Amino acid sequence: MDTRASLSILLLLFGVSQASPLMEEVFVSEPESVDITTRILESNNGSSEVLIEGDLVFPKTRNALYCFNNNCFWKKNSNNIVEVPYTVSNEFSSNEKSVITNAMSTFHSRTCIRFVPRSTQTDYISIENRDGCFSSLGRTGGKQVVSLNRQGCVYHGIAQHELNHALGFYHEQTRSDRDQYVRINFENISPDMAYNFQKQNTNNQNTPYDYGSIMHYGRTAFSIRYGLETITPIPDRTVEIGQRQGMSNIDILRINKLYGC
């Protein structure tokens, strides 16, 4: 084999060895251009569940979304730890289970919430691969499903978003004082979808409105046409909303205040 042929083969092998990690990274990475709300709503399109605000399961035992009474929250034990029993479906791969447990780890390190594997507890969350990303609001009693569809929901930010719902937290843009901080552009929302932007009688716990909350919708949620803004921050419309990286410091503060951590 002559020198030029040997050199060509070496260059080819080097190229393959450099390309493989990049190919793997592209496969496992979440597109930067897609905000958390877009991904959730796309995953929930056509879901068989009756959903409010895009990913909240319509309550079957309560007349409305209302989560202030003690029955709606998970209980604190004698060690001041709030244990939330859970199970994870075996339909998830080991990597997907790691995403879910890593999402839980922030709760463990920065709050008094502990997601613990269920043994015999009556009330627990069951993390399943259903048709979308959704959860009930707060503790509903018995088995309650947190759905993380394998095709579009098993991401760190989405898992934390749905777990926050299960702890009793609403979307940020539906809080009672939201009109001081965002404008809802109802002209860009289909009339039959407008109910998703109804304000709730929320307990804001004397915390500021949080544009960076993991619970905040993105700008175009439920838009009648691609690219139209349905939510505009005020007074500065350039403020980022709908981030999906993980819980904000204010998200964590609210958990600690609500549960007396």
Side-chain angles (χ1 to χ4, degrees):
M1 183 180 295
D2 62 32
T3 303
R4 286 181 299 177
S6 298
L7 181 59
S8 297
I9 292 172
L10 287 172
L11 288 174
L12 178 62
L13 291 173
F14 178 78
V16 170
S17 68
Q18 295 300 303
S20 296
L22 293 177
M23 291 166 61
E24 181 179 359
E25 182 179 355
V26 170
F27 178 77
V28 300
S29 294
E30 183 177 3
E32 291 297 327
S33 60
V34 179
D35 69 43
I36 190 171
T37 314
T38 300
R39 185 168 290 283
I40 288 174
L41 295 182
E42 285 179 351
S43 296
N44 291 354
N45 185 28
S47 173
S48 59
E49 288 287 340
V50 178
L51 301 174
I52 302 172
E53 296 181 22
D55 67 337
L56 278 169
V57 177
F58 187 82
K60 298 178 177 63
T61 58
R62 297 195 295 270
N63 291 330
L65 286 173
Y66 190 74
C67 190
F68 285 127
N69 59 71
N70 289 333
N71 292 331
C72 188
F73 302 126
W74 299 87
K75 304 301 183 183
K76 186 184 292 184
N77 64 23
S78 58
N79 296 319
N80 287 325
I81 295 298
V82 179
E83 292 191 344
V84 182
Y86 75 94
T87 59
V88 179
S89 169
N90 285 327
E91 290 184 45
F92 294 108
S93 69
S94 57
N95 286 340
E96 290 165 340
K97 289 180 179 179
S98 293
V99 170
I100 295 167
T101 55
N102 285 339
M104 293 175 173
S105 66
T106 305
F107 295 88
H108 299 173
S109 64
R110 302 193 62 185
T111 78
C112 60
I113 305 295
R114 300 291 184 273
F115 293 98
V116 296
R118 180 198 181 218
S119 53
T120 60
Q121 296 94 332
T122 301
D123 297 347
Y124 67 100
I125 61 174
S126 177
I127 302 174
E128 301 180 10
N129 170 39
R130 294 206 183 180
D131 55 350
C133 329
F134 53 81
S135 172
S136 301
L137 182 69
R139 182 173 64 89
T140 61
K143 171 185 172 180
Q144 62 186 82
V145 172
V146 171
S147 175
L148 296 174
N149 183 271
R150 295 184 65 195
Q151 301 304 313
C153 306
V154 188
Y155 293 101
H156 183 84
I158 292 178
Q160 288 191 342
H161 180 100
E162 300 305 338
L163 290 172
N164 256 320
H165 280 321
L167 291 176
F169 289 92
Y170 293 85
H171 292 116
E172 185 72 358
Q173 78 287 335
T174 61
R175 64 183 260 171
S176 56
D177 61 349
R178 65 105 184 274
D179 292 336
Q180 301 175 44
Y181 305 98
V182 294
R183 182 175 65 253
I184 306 301
N185 304 310
F186 285 101
E187 68 275 13
N188 294 337
I189 303 166
S190 175
D192 60 350
M193 290 289 108
Y195 71 92
N196 291 294
F197 293 88
Q198 180 179 342
K199 284 189 292 187
Q200 303 294 340
N201 184 22
T202 53
N203 176 6
N204 301 323
Q205 303 173 85
N206 294 316
T207 59
Y209 190 90
D210 186 14
Y211 296 105
S213 172
I214 196 70
M215 307 307 290
H216 206 300
Y217 273 2
R219 292 178 181 272
T220 61
F222 294 101
S223 175
I224 57 175
R225 192 165 64 251
Y226 179 79
L228 286 180
E229 273 193 6
T230 56
I231 307 174
T232 303
I234 52 177
D236 181 2
R237 68 178 302 154
T238 66
V239 172
E240 179 185 356
I241 58 175
Q243 65 89 11
R244 55 176 173 70
Q245 282 75 29
M247 290 189 294
S248 70
N249 287 331
I250 296 178
D251 286 328
I252 292 165
L253 173 65
R254 286 177 186 153
I255 294 171
N256 286 327
K257 287 174 73 77
L258 182 66
Y259 281 95
C261 297

